[in-house]
Amino acid sequence: NAGVTQTPKFQVLKTGQSMTLQCAQDMNHNSMYWYRQDPGMGLRLIYYSASEGTTDKGEVPNGYNVSRLNKREFSLRLESAAPSQTSVYFCASSEAKTGWQPQHFGDGTRLSIL
Amino acid sequence: RKEVEQDPGPFNVPEGATVAFNCTYSNSASQSFFWYRQDCRKEPKLLMSVYSSGNEDGRFTAQLNRASQYISLLIRDSKLSDSATYLCAVRGSNYQLIWGAGTKLIIKP
């Protein structure tokens, strides 16, 4: 009954370091999403994958890259971390991209960039 | 103006009371709407979808007002466990969900 699983749960990086956030879902969903959540702001979409083999930019893609490895897995990479990327990152999935279906979230990765 | 706006609160409400809050959206073509609940330092969890005719799930009632472009969430007989931040999400023109920043609700004994 895992749903959406994110790793790691916490990470501290130094400016300029790189890292990859992992996300996997076991609900056979077609669409997957990466969001960031900052205090006082709504969830902001970084990238999404409407289906296996496709990825698209969201509202705040700069400084990030993604890979839809297969139907289950969608990773987010920070190539050169900056303090402005300190945030809580959520991965989500839904049956389809149309927006009719709700999204289901992982429990987040808390990332601090020093 | 933000695409989706919520009163950040906090709403401080005594246990057992009824509380309601709204979420306004700017895109009149939006077709699907959701309420999520987010506990402190946790992920958002779907509370309910919002249908055109309104819908109810136990103590929770969601309604859509297309003319005034807002959705509402009403919680009756509030419990201490209802304390959380309530996020609304609205489908945008590119089919993605646009999120409000959330309304914080504190239920006091």
Side-chain angles (χ1 to χ4, degrees), chain A residues 30-35 44-61 64-68 74-76 90-94 96-98 103, chain B residues 93-97:
Chain A
N30 289 301
S31 299
M32 298 184 74
Y33 313 83
W34 275 106
Y35 290 94
R44 291 186 292 168
L45 185 63
I46 304 170
Y47 270 93
Y48 67 99
S49 172
S51 59
E52 185 178 357
T54 69
T55 61
D56 287 286
K57 294 178 180 180
E59 180 186 355
V60 289
Y64 306 95
N65 284 300
V66 291
S67 296
R68 183 75 182 265
F74 188 38
S75 62
L76 178 71
F90 288 105
C91 177
S93 69
S94 65
K97 76 159 188 174
T98 61
Q103 296 177 8
Chain B
S93 56
N94 62 352
Y95 300 104
Q96 299 309 319
L97 290 182

Side-chain angles (χ1 to χ4, degrees), chain A residues 33 37 98-99 103 106 110, chain B residues 32 36 38 41 43 91 96:
Chain A
Y33 313 83
Q37 187 176 38
T98 61
Q103 296 177 8
R110 282 157 183 77
Chain B
S32 58
Y36 281 75
Q38 186 173 27
R41 301 181 67 80
E43 75 276 21
R91 188 182 74 158
Q96 299 309 319

